[in-house]
DNA sequence: GTCTATAAGAAGATAGAC
DNA sequence: GTCTATCTTCTTATAGAC
């Protein structure tokens, strides 16, 4: 199989657990099953490997974002789909988002790597903020805004609604990244969060 | 002034920005204004410096927690104080907590250091979860529970209320740690969050 | 307690054979 | 493309003078 690609995969795994500075090229090589000098036939330096991971990640983000509907582009048309959204559907949507972020191998490793490196590089800081704060919030704000206009939800500030919906998801994600054994407990709390959110903002009552 | 203490301060500053593995003892020494070998008269190794920081931090946490009322111990008696809590008081309480966490030099550096090192050491992961997740949530849950019983707030699941109250605070904190220039914007959003929280859960309506 | 000098070893990267 | 051997530099830590 493609060695050049495997180097990126193994490097990402190591970087996401130890951080760039604590990973040695010999470790990456060992994980791939070759010796360190052979790496330099594929990448010209350790930093070059890191940059390649970053490039690959940026490319894959748009794909992922449109798949998960968090890019902020399609919120209006998505709101059409969710016109008849109920509590159960909202729970499914939130747990789906949560479990995708948590379990998708590439998403998790990339998020951990950015978390570890965020204070050393402002580009990485911006990337993490965009992907895990601004983009989800702006998408959900636009969607909630539509759902309020359509009379599906009560009329509240949609930015704050998005924050109330998403911040607990993000919060529980950071807990589970640190302590994976708390996934079940966290998923339960997430569901209670969404049901209460639905009761508060829904027109059912 | 006490060199031994200054070493800890400078080391914490560097560790919180670059991470343990990317900081060299010579850098710590330079920040203190001495040469690297002199450090070894105060601490027997680089790891020893790190451990000393951790020890100091654990000691100071109880003090800080009781000061901020997030230790979970005093929630019931605190609820007495907040019996007549209004929207403005809730806003003051939340922004106070947020700005303390954000600006307190020691709290910020320690949080950043734990964030950077969390996946390399499960003890650090537990510490971060305790101080920035479990303790605040359990305190606030206990307090909201009391306020519901007293009829100050509507009766909802207090765990979820605490999550709705605190998760946005934590979320905005992580954004501002990465991008300090967004503090004003984030503080504004925080206030809107608390006002909406108060309207939702309060009995005013 | 601080310094200079230096040991001991680790880590990134290159040279050149196969 | 992978290997062994090696270079160079960096980094932690110690020795011993002041």
């Amino acid at each position: 199989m493609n060695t050049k690609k495997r180097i990126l995969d193994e490097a990402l795994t190591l970087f996401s657990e130890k951080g760039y500075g604590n990973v040695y090229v010999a470790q990456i090589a060992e994980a791939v099953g070759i010796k360190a000098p052979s790496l330099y036939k594929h990448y010209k330096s350790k930093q070059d490997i890191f940059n390649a991971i970053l490039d690959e990640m940026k490319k894959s983000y748009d794909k992922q974002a449109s798949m998960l509907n968090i890019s902020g582009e399609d919120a209006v048309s998505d709101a059409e789909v969710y016109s008849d959204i109920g509590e159960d559907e909202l729970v499914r949507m939130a747990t789906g988002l949560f479990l995708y972020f948590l379990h998708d191998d590439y998403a998790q490793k990339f998020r951990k790597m950015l978390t570890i490196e965020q204070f050393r590089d402002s580009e990485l800081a911006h990337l993490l903020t965009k992907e895990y704060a601004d983009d989800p919030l702006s998408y959900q704000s636009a969607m909630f805004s539509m759902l309020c206009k359509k009379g599906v939800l009560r009329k509240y500030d949609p930015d704050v609604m998005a924050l109330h919906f998403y911040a607990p998801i993000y919060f529980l994600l950071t807990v589970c990244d640190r302590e994976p054994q708390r996934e079940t407990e966290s998923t339960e709390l997430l569901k209670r969060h969404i049901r209460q959110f639905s009761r508060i903002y829904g027109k059912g009552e």
Side-chain angles (χ1 to χ4, degrees), chain A:
Chain A
M1 194 234 172
N2 190 356
T3 305
K4 189 156 186 166
K5 170 69 177 147
R6 290 196 53 228
I7 292 170
L8 289 193
D9 287 347
E10 299 296 345
L12 174 57
T13 301
L14 288 163
F15 289 158
S16 71
E17 275 161 17
K18 301 160 172 286
Y20 180 84
N22 299 303
V23 173
Y24 313 124
V25 289
Q27 291 177 298
I28 302 172
E30 193 189 359
V32 174
I34 58 178
K35 298 292 181 183
S38 305
L39 285 179
Y40 291 86
K41 296 289 177 183
H42 301 277
Y43 299 95
K44 76 174 210 292
S45 69
K46 185 184 170 187
Q47 187 62 48
D48 196 36
I49 296 174
F50 187 85
N51 294 340
I53 291 173
L54 221 61
D55 287 345
E56 194 197 7
M57 191 280 287
K58 283 179 201 158
K59 269 185 219 152
S60 78
Y61 176 67
D62 293 332
K63 226 186 313 168
Q64 184 212 60
S66 68
M67 188 187 89
L68 289 170
N69 288 337
I70 53 171
S71 62
E73 297 294 314
D74 310 312
V76 173
S77 58
D78 288 349
E80 300 283 339
V81 177
Y82 291 125
S83 284
D84 57 348
I85 198 165
E87 187 176 308
D88 289 345
E89 187 143 8
L90 214 56
V91 168
R92 257 198 305 282
M93 181 179 145
T95 52
L97 191 71
F98 175 72
L99 292 175
Y100 172 81
F101 277 146
L102 188 59
H103 287 151
D104 182 82
D105 201 52
Y106 193 70
Q108 184 185 90
K109 284 172 181 167
F110 194 74
R111 178 175 66 250
K112 285 188 175 183
M113 192 181 83
L114 287 186
T115 299
I116 290 175
E117 306 294 340
Q118 63 181 322
F119 303 126
R120 298 204 311 131
D121 183 334
S122 67
E123 189 197 346
L124 302 184
H126 279 91
L127 214 53
L128 188 54
T129 300
K130 174 179 156 55
E131 298 196 7
Y132 283 93
D134 292 340
D135 280 2
L137 277 190
S138 74
Y139 169 79
Q140 284 161 22
S141 177
M143 203 184 70
F144 287 138
S145 177
M146 283 301 296
L147 292 172
C148 288
K149 274 204 191 98
K150 283 174 164 290
V152 180
L153 299 176
R154 298 180 189 202
K155 286 196 170 51
Y156 280 98
D157 182 338
D159 289 344
V160 178
M161 286 177 74
L163 190 64
H164 283 175
F165 182 82
Y166 179 72
I169 297 176
Y170 177 80
F171 174 84
L172 292 171
L173 197 58
T174 66
V175 170
C176 290
D177 276 343
R178 275 193 288 280
E179 318 209 36
Q181 80 280 9
R182 293 181 65 171
E183 180 183 326
T184 308
E185 162 204 341
S186 297
T187 309
E188 281 312 306
L189 185 54
L190 177 71
K191 285 177 183 165
R192 285 157 64 197
H193 150 53
I194 299 297
R195 293 216 182 84
Q196 191 150 315
F197 178 91
S198 174
R199 230 173 308 149
I200 287 166
Y201 288 110
K203 290 216 155 172
E205 206 177 324

